[in-house]
């Protein structure tokens, strides 16, 4: 019995001498047993028994038999248990949990911290907003990092991951930038478009409630451009075409959209109705061409009651780059001087039609070759058409389909007749 105890003690000492490589005989070396290593089952011999690898290309927790851990510094399996993932040096520590070691928050790092110390980091990208908070700080303040939600509390609105940044464990939540997505609110001022939402964190579940949930604002501001206006609109009214420049090299996308304001910020969406007599501001932009070499020109713009620009009732809005003003008030604000064309049109209606179709023929010119009302001299570039269908506001004084328009004269006559009857 004493001999057995001595043998067991010797074996234990051999296996637990710090983080030394295991040198026992319970498992063979993988090189000696024709082994394979798999993510699911670790390293096994050809007879399906476990073995000890000399290198580990897997998740370290899968390399060695369950009672051992992989020591990358020594490239071996060691008796000393190690954490299955890297801990954040600034606020985590590796601790035992049963037979395993895991990373846990070192709460002593956040003694005396308050809610004012919780400062979410917001990163604004063109199509994604990322919000990061310190996991250990959130937990030390008594909140549950897993409880995060937005204005829309649906689980479909939470996309998150964790990582280590500046030696801290951060939980990062990602938001789409689209208007209306999971409660997003999009606003604008004279220079920027803002995407806003609210992040929420609930308290850690407990029989006693001693604090309120956290709510913090998430806001990203984006410079106003046609592209950002289109990006943040729910149903943007837009049209695109592919242009070739005057030198015939490459191809570029031109986009046209319509706005309600002269700042070109309030975009007209596909289901918006425009009041007759109000202004429509058209913008056409090429974003991927060299502005020092090329300029965009709207050669001709036409309005028609149908999707046929050759309709006999069609009206010319722009001819040879300028506004003829032959029945429809049109102002060319910018054309042929940059990669941005802007035109103002006073909205009107073709009698009996609920919408108006706008067609613009555009081309890329050499800089200063298409300004003003010049005849287009750059014939090497191709001309393409972009078009929009503007819905018109339905009201008592507007004709839609078979419903006749009511003139002011008819309305006045009817009113006089009514008054004369009342006076008899």
């Amino acid at each position: 019995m004493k001999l057995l105890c001595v043998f067991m003690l010797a074996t234990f000492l051999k296996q637990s001498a710090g983080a030394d490589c295991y040198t026992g005989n319970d498992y063979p070396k993988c090189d000696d047993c024709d082994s394979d290593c798999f993510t699911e089952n670790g390293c096994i011999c050809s007879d399906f028994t476990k073995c000890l690898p000399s290198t580990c290309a897997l998740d370290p927790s899968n390399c060695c038999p369950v009672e051992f851990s992989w020591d990358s510094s020594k490239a071996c399996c060691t008796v000393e248990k190690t954490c299955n993932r890297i801990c954040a040096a600034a606020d985590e520590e590796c601790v035992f949990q049963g037979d395993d070691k895991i990373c846990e928050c070192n709460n002593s790092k956040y003694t005396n911290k308050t809610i004012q110390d919780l400062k979410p980091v917001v990163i604004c990208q063109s199509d994604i907003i990322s919000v990061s908070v310190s996991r250990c700080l959130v937990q030390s303040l008594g909140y549950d990092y897993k409880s995060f939600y937005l204005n829309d509390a649906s689980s479909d609105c939470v996309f998150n991951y964790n990582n280590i940044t500046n030696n801290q464990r951060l939980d990062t939540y990602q938001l789409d930038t689209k208007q209306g997505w999971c409660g997003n609110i999009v606003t604008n001022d004279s220079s920027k478009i803002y995407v806003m939402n609210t992040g929420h964190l609930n308290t850690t579940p407990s029989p006693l409630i001693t604090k309120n949930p956290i709510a913090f604002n998430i806001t990203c501001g984006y410079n106003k451009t046609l592209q950002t206006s289109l990006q943040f609109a729910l149903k943007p009214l837009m049209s695109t075409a592919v242009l070739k420049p005057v030198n015939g090299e490459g191809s570029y996308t031109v986009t046209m959209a319509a706005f309600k304001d002269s700042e070109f910020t309030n975009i007209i969406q596909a289901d918006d109705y425009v009041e007759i007599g109000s202004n429509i501001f058209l913008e056409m932009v090429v974003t991927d061409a060299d502005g020092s070499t090329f300029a965009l020109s709207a050669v001709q713009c036409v309005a028609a009651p149908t999707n046929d620009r050759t309709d006999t009732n069609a009206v010319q809005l722009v001819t040879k780059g300028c506004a003829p003003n032959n029945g429809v008030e049109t102002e060319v604000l910018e054309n042929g001087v940059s990669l941005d064309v802007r035109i103002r049109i006073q909205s009107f209606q073709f009698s009996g039609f609920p919408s108006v179709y706008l067609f613009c023929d555009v081309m890329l010119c050499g800089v200063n070759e298409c300004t003003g009302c010049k005849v287009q001299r750059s014939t090497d570039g191709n001309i393409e058409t972009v078009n929009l269908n503007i819905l018109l506001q339905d009201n008592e004084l507007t004709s839609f389909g078979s419903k006749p328009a009511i003139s002011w004269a008819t309305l006045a006559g009817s009113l006089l007749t009514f008054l004369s009857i009342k006076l008899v």
Side-chain angles (χ1 to χ4, degrees):
M1 182 69 179
K2 183 181 294 187
L3 184 61
L4 178 60
C5 290
V6 171
F7 173 77
M8 292 178 63
L9 178 60
T11 302
F12 174 78
L13 290 174
K14 179 183 288 187
Q15 293 182 349
S16 59
D20 291 340
C21 297
Y22 172 72
T23 57
N25 299 319
D26 296 336
Y27 300 97
K29 292 288 187 182
C30 295
D31 297 340
D32 299 332
C33 69
D34 191 20
S35 72
D36 287 298
C37 295
F38 305 94
T39 301
E40 296 81 6
N41 301 313
C43 296
I44 56 175
C45 296
S46 56
D47 62 359
F48 300 103
T49 59
K50 296 289 285 184
C51 57
L52 300 174
S54 55
T55 59
C56 177
L58 305 175
D59 179 338
S61 62
N62 292 328
C63 292
C64 305
V66 66
E67 63 266 41
F68 304 111
S69 297
W70 178 259
D71 186 334
S72 58
S73 65
K74 298 182 179 179
C76 68
C77 293
T78 174
V79 175
E80 181 175 333
K81 290 281 187 181
T82 59
C83 284
N84 290 339
R85 60 186 175 93
I86 298 173
C87 298
D91 57 6
E92 288 184 327
E93 54 188 352
C94 191
V95 299
F96 278 104
Q97 189 178 74
D99 292 333
D100 294 323
K101 270 192 171 182
I102 62 170
C103 296
E104 283 193 350
C105 290
N106 183 355
N107 291 326
S108 64
K109 300 289 186 180
Y110 294 100
T111 303
N112 298 325
K113 295 292 185 180
T114 67
I115 194 68
Q116 283 70 35
D117 295 299
L118 184 62
K119 299 176 181 178
V121 177
V122 179
I123 298 177
C124 305
Q125 296 173 282
S126 60
D127 55 351
I128 292 292
I129 298 174
S130 297
V131 185
S132 299
V133 295
S134 165
R135 173 180 293 190
C136 293
L137 176 57
V138 167
Q139 289 188 174
S140 69
L141 294 174
Y143 293 91
D144 181 6
Y145 69 90
K146 295 180 181 178
S147 68
F148 179 87
Y149 64 94
L150 299 169
N151 284 337
D152 182 341
S154 168
S155 59
D156 294 335
C157 296
V158 178
F159 300 89
N160 66 293
Y161 63 93
N162 73 81
N163 65 310
I164 297 175
T165 302
N166 295 328
N167 293 320
Q168 284 186 309
R169 177 76 57 187
L170 299 182
D171 283 291
T172 299
Y173 310 93
Q174 293 187 323
L175 290 69
D176 198 322
T177 56
K178 290 186 177 62
Q179 179 172 322
W181 180 88
C182 293
N184 280 352
I185 299 172
V186 177
T187 62
N188 62 79
D189 60 21
S190 60
S191 62
K192 287 184 177 293
I193 295 175
Y194 299 93
V195 181
M196 298 177 289
N197 210 310
T198 304
H200 302 266
L201 285 169
N202 290 328
T203 58
T204 302
S206 171
L208 297 177
I209 300 175
T210 59
K211 58 191 71 179
N212 293 319
I214 296 173
F216 54 89
N217 292 327
I218 302 168
T219 302
C220 279
Y222 299 88
N223 291 331
K224 282 182 178 176
T225 65
L226 176 60
Q227 298 306 314
T228 55
S229 296
L230 292 173
Q231 177 182 340
F232 300 132
L234 283 175
K235 300 177 182 178
L237 185 65
M238 59 178 289
S239 176
T240 61
V242 177
L243 294 172
K244 290 184 180 179
V246 291
N247 59 15
E249 296 179 359
S251 59
Y252 307 95
T253 300
V254 58
T255 301
M256 179 167 74
F259 295 83
K260 300 176 183 178
D261 61 316
S262 59
E263 287 77 28
F264 293 82
T265 58
N266 191 3
I267 195 166
I268 296 175
Q269 304 200 62
D271 53 3
D272 285 345
Y273 287 84
V274 175
E275 183 178 351
I276 294 172
S278 64
N279 287 320
I280 297 173
F281 295 88
L282 298 180
E283 183 171 22
M284 288 150 268
V285 174
V286 173
T287 58
D288 49 359
D290 182 358
S292 64
T293 303
F294 302 118
L296 181 66
S297 176
V299 181
Q300 179 178 244
C301 291
V302 176
T306 66
N307 198 20
D308 179 6
R309 64 181 297 165
T310 64
D311 190 288
T312 55
N313 293 313
V315 177
Q316 292 284 333
L317 302 176
V318 174
T319 302
K320 295 182 180 179
C322 291
N325 285 317
N326 55 355
V328 177
E329 183 180 324
T330 304
E331 180 183 6
V332 177
L333 304 173
E334 182 177 339
N335 193 16
V337 296
S338 69
L339 296 174
D340 193 346
V341 172
R342 293 185 170 190
I343 300 170
R344 179 186 65 83
I345 302 168
Q346 188 176 57
S347 64
F348 67 98
Q349 181 185 18
F350 291 98
S351 180
F353 293 89
S355 65
V356 61
Y357 289 82
L358 304 177
F359 304 86
C360 283
D361 299 331
V362 293
M363 67 180 298
L364 276 178
C365 311
V367 172
N368 299 323
E369 290 185 357
C370 296
T371 57
C373 303
K374 295 178 182 177
V375 175
Q376 305 305 315
R377 299 180 305 183
S378 300
T379 57
D380 294 335
N382 69 325
I383 296 178
E384 296 292 342
T385 301
V386 283
N387 61 87
L388 300 174
N389 179 217
I390 306 291
L391 301 176
L392 300 173
Q393 182 70 50
D394 187 3
N395 56 56
E396 292 182 357
L397 303 179
T398 304
S399 171
F400 280 82
S402 60
K403 185 171 66 177
I406 302 175
S407 69
W408 282 108
T410 302
L411 184 62
S414 299
L415 181 59
L416 289 173
T417 301
F418 172 76
L419 290 174
S420 64
I421 293 173
K422 294 288 289 184
L423 292 172
V424 173

